[in-house]
Amino acid sequence: MMALSRRIQEIIELEKPDILHAHSPILNAIPALRLGRKLRIPVVYEIRAFWEDAAVDHGTYSEDSWKFKLVRLIETWICRKADHVGVLCCGLKEDLIKRGISPKKITVVYNGVDVEDFNACEPDAEYLKAWDLNGKKVIGFIGSFYRYEGLDLLINAFSQISTTMPDAMLLLVGGGEVERELKDQVQRLNLTDKVIIPGRISHDRIPGVYALIDLMVYPRYSMRLTELVTPLKPLEAMAMGKALIASDVGGHKELIKHEQTGFLFPAGNVSALAESLECLLKDGTLRKKLETQGLEWVKANHTWDKTTSVYTEIYAKALEKC
């Protein structure tokens, strides 16, 4: 933080900014606040997730530990001291309000999608052939393999429907902490010819991979992080014109309206997920409805132009306090 403070001061002397905009975690905010108060420059602090919650999921420390409580305390203190606070979603805003932060100094800066990068396109021909997906019904997930994503739940649900739907395939694209566990699970369930886990794929080929998939799935488990924070990937799926199924955690419910822009199932319920998969794979009319309405909704509410426009308001409010 001392090194960051020195670097920020160098930039301040060079650029003479009107506002300092610090992004979470607190390691960035503390130096920015220190210099902002010293040089009388307003400070905006932006939070995309509470880092203490992410640390709990990663096993760094537990929710009742002194480290968790300390990071939470400092984060709350920073939000009180900052001139304005930006947060990713309403879940984070409500949590800060409960901590005593005035709602007047909190503005939601929603996730956005670059519609030039994510829009309907032709399937990636090379992967279509290599993964033998031609004529198959493909269930997919694209993202990081964190434990809270619930991919083990998805594999178990897929196992339940694979015998009655022999043309169904499961494609899990990405990587992360539970990748080895997922591959072992696939082997135990004798699904190696039905589940494809190709690893990470370059960003420029992701739209072509989306185009291979009939149904995207986001089976997140319920925990503080998933209840409070909205993910980006369902928005990408909607922008690609894909129907999706997601668990009913708070972060998903803020983005997805059941049977309108997606399909929600009770978090952690394997049987309910399996039923949802079977329902949507068989009901092409409902799937098409979700594809169309999801695409319309994301274009109306979550393009980059739309979501970044609130920074004008945030900076104006911060400058008012000078």
Side-chain angles (χ1 to χ4, degrees):
M1 286 191 286
M2 292 298 294
L4 180 58
S5 292
R6 290 192 294 270
R7 184 59 178 146
I8 294 173
Q9 186 153 4
E10 290 174 4
I11 299 300
I12 288 173
E13 292 169 359
L14 180 67
E15 300 290 347
K16 298 177 174 54
D18 296 305
I19 292 173
L20 296 180
H21 186 149
H23 198 290
S24 58
I26 60 176
L27 301 177
N28 296 327
I30 291 172
L33 275 173
R34 175 179 171 273
L35 287 167
R37 295 299 172 262
K38 177 182 176 183
L39 302 174
R40 297 184 179 179
I41 303 173
V43 176
V44 170
Y45 180 46
E46 185 166 353
I47 304 170
R48 310 297 279 177
F50 294 131
W51 284 64
E52 62 270 28
D53 291 335
V56 170
D57 177 71
H58 297 156
T60 306
Y61 45 74
S62 64
E63 197 169 312
D64 60 352
S65 69
W66 67 267
K67 285 186 179 180
F68 177 92
K69 294 173 183 176
L70 177 61
V71 175
R72 180 182 172 88
L73 182 67
I74 296 172
E75 185 113 71
T76 305
W77 175 83
I78 290 168
C79 291
R80 289 198 179 101
K81 295 296 181 181
D83 295 285
H84 203 80
V85 178
V87 293
L88 176 67
C89 54
C90 294
L92 296 177
K93 180 177 180 178
E94 292 303 316
D95 192 80
L96 289 178
I97 290 172
K98 290 176 183 177
R99 301 188 203 183
I101 308 301
S102 170
K104 293 181 179 179
K105 72 180 297 184
I106 307 172
T107 299
V108 178
V109 186
Y110 293 106
N111 260 333
V113 179
D114 183 354
V115 292
E116 293 183 4
D117 278 356
F118 291 94
N119 53 60
C121 65
E122 291 298 312
D124 189 298
E126 181 184 344
Y127 289 142
L128 179 66
K129 182 179 180 181
W131 298 335
D132 192 23
L133 297 178
N134 197 30
K136 303 292 177 60
K137 292 180 178 178
V138 183
I139 301 163
F141 172 90
I142 301 175
S144 297
F145 293 179
Y146 292 122
R147 195 170 303 281
Y148 61 75
E149 293 291 0
L151 299 180
D152 57 327
L153 191 85
L154 174 55
I155 292 172
N156 283 332
F158 177 76
S159 177
Q160 291 187 16
I161 69 165
S162 62
T163 53
T164 58
M165 303 190 74
D167 59 344
M169 298 287 287
L170 178 60
L171 175 61
L172 305 178
V173 177
E177 60 182 343
V178 297
E179 183 174 354
R180 183 67 265 167
E181 294 176 27
L182 297 176
K183 289 179 177 179
D184 291 342
Q185 181 183 5
V186 168
Q187 287 188 328
R188 286 197 308 273
L189 294 172
N190 296 316
L191 293 172
T192 51
D193 60 336
K194 295 277 191 176
V195 180
I196 302 165
I197 307 179
R200 292 184 171 90
I201 289 173
S202 61
H203 179 78
D204 60 300
R205 299 189 70 172
I206 291 297
V209 175
Y210 270 112
L212 296 169
I213 297 168
D214 297 290
L215 182 60
M216 300 298 300
V217 186
Y218 306 96
R220 287 186 159 191
Y221 286 113
S222 177
M223 58 177 293
R224 259 186 61 85
L225 186 147
T226 60
E227 292 293 343
L228 295 179
V229 179
T230 55
L232 174 62
K233 296 304 180 182
L235 299 179
E236 290 182 0
M238 291 182 200
M240 291 297 302
K242 296 297 170 182
L244 59 90
I245 294 174
S247 58
D248 63 352
V249 295
H252 284 153
K253 288 194 290 186
E254 197 170 321
L255 299 177
I256 302 162
K257 301 300 180 187
H258 183 55
E259 295 189 353
Q260 295 180 40
T261 56
F263 209 84
L264 296 172
F265 74 94
N269 190 321
V270 175
S271 296
L273 175 54
E275 290 172 8
S276 300
L277 291 171
E278 192 166 7
C279 171
L280 280 183
L281 287 176
K282 289 181 176 179
D283 192 339
T285 301
L286 176 57
R287 199 163 67 243
K288 186 63 179 176
K289 172 189 170 183
L290 299 182
E291 291 170 355
T292 301
Q293 294 185 173
L295 178 59
E296 291 174 352
W297 182 80
V298 80
K299 283 187 173 181
N301 297 282
H302 285 273
T303 63
W304 278 359
D305 287 345
K306 182 82 172 180
T307 59
T308 59
S309 63
V310 297
Y311 284 118
T312 303
E313 174 190 344
I314 289 173
Y315 295 152
K317 288 181 177 179
L319 288 168
E320 285 175 4
K321 296 190 175 183
C322 291

